[in-house]
Amino acid sequence: MSAIPAGPARVRPLVRGAVTCPRPRPDATLRLFLFHHAGGSHLLYRGWEQLFPGDWELCLVDAPGRGRLSDRPALAGADELTDFLERELAPWLDRPYAFFGHSMGALVAYELAGRLARPGRRAPLWLGLSSCGAPSAGHGAGPAARHHLSDAELRDWLRAVGATPPAVLDNEMLWKVFAPTFRNDFALVDTWRPDPDADPLPVALSSFGGSTDLLVDRPRLAAWERHTRDYRGLHVYHGGHFYLVDHRHLVSRQIVAAVTAVRRAAVASIA
């Protein structure tokens, strides 16, 4: 009786602190860090590793208070969260890398990129900012002081925006579990005060958004052009604030195209 050929070995995810790496690649030529939205976790990007080149390593980042870091207190200030993630990501920045952040994740990615682009640091090759307004055009995403809304108002607002499972909003026990995280993250976003006159980043930057997003309109997305020396364009997809849930294949292709173009330009400049 002939032996049945063994299939490909299953790669076990690697988890270290704030970073979940679903497809570890010790020989990766590039690391792509993905930052989640307010009230969310790395699960926003579940399965995305299958959409990228095999020599890329995706690193899904969790803020404290959720995911693998659910035993840690959430951080309600942008500077505090940026400090924390700067330390957590430091061991992972030993090769070329890029950032993509959605909503709250975009502002965190922007703040981190600014620190890592300082002299003597290894800056990201590319920065993708999704569903988040530029500092010069009314920063963040959504109305101010959402963390002060009543429970009923906040739940209604989340229903209108979408992406929050009805089970969380309609079940009192689940709501009590998740409500503090929503309020904490909205406090972070709503009190974020970036410098609208900061020097443009020396990092290639692309902005992304949904065509029917009621929180962040096209002009606020396009305004990111003022915050980089190398703007790679605005990419708009059909849908609202969480357009990427339905268009992850298109978004991933655009990410690959943008990063590939930046890498080629870097090689050409050296040559």
Side-chain angles (χ1 to χ4, degrees), residues 74-93:
L75 302 175
D79 286 342
E80 293 176 90
L81 181 55
T82 305
D83 289 343
F84 173 80
L85 292 178
E86 185 177 9
R87 294 191 299 270
E88 289 288 304
L89 268 56
W92 297 83
L93 306 184

Side-chain angles (χ1 to χ4, degrees), residues 20 90 94 104 156 171 196 220 250:
T20 296
D94 60 344
M104 181 183 82
D156 286 344
N171 183 291
R220 291 175 63 202
L250 294 176

Side-chain angles (χ1 to χ4, degrees), residues 63-79:
R66 76 220 66 212
R68 308 287 185 177
L69 302 179
S70 59
D71 59 335
R72 300 195 185 191
L75 302 175
D79 286 342

Side-chain angles (χ1 to χ4, degrees), residues 103 131 140-143 146 157 161 212-217 220 241:
S103 199
S131 295
R146 286 167 295 181
W157 186 85
V161 173
T212 58
D213 188 347
L214 300 178
L215 305 182
V216 186
D217 59 19
R220 291 175 63 202
H241 195 65

Side-chain angles (χ1 to χ4, degrees), residues 165-227:
V168 171
L169 300 177
D170 298 334
N171 183 291
E172 289 297 330
M173 292 184 65
L174 285 177
W175 174 249
K176 288 180 180 179
V177 172
F178 288 98
T181 301
F182 282 117
R183 291 190 182 283
N184 176 87
D185 290 357
F186 289 145
L188 186 153
V189 175
D190 298 340
T191 60
W192 180 46
R193 294 294 179 265
D195 180 1
D197 300 316
D199 291 337
L201 291 176
V203 176
L205 187 156
S206 304
S207 51
F208 297 75
S211 59
T212 58
D213 188 347
L214 300 178
L215 305 182
V216 186
D217 59 19
R218 187 185 291 258
R220 291 175 63 202
L221 294 170
W224 280 110
E225 182 175 9
R226 306 171 201 168
H227 299 274

Side-chain angles (χ1 to χ4, degrees), residues 52-169:
F52 290 90
D55 61 345
W56 286 27
E57 188 173 65
L58 264 64
C59 296
L60 317 184
V61 183
D62 271 317
R66 76 220 66 212
R68 308 287 185 177
L69 302 179
S70 59
D71 59 335
R72 300 195 185 191
L75 302 175
D79 286 342
E80 293 176 90
L81 181 55
T82 305
D83 289 343
F84 173 80
L85 292 178
E86 185 177 9
R87 294 191 299 270
E88 289 288 304
L89 268 56
W92 297 83
L93 306 184
D94 60 344
R95 66 197 64 201
Y97 68 95
F99 286 166
F100 178 87
H102 179 71
S103 199
M104 181 183 82
L107 72 85
V108 173
Y110 171 71
E111 290 288 345
L112 273 172
R115 295 188 185 192
L116 295 167
R118 293 169 182 165
R121 309 290 300 274
R122 180 194 285 268
L125 292 175
W126 174 84
L127 181 60
L129 304 179
S130 169
S131 295
C132 183
S136 58
H139 69 270
R146 286 167 295 181
H147 54 296
H148 291 315
L149 294 175
S150 69
D151 270 8
E153 291 170 332
L154 184 55
R155 289 156 96 167
D156 286 344
W157 186 85
L158 288 167
R159 287 190 185 94
V161 173
T164 304
V168 171
L169 300 177

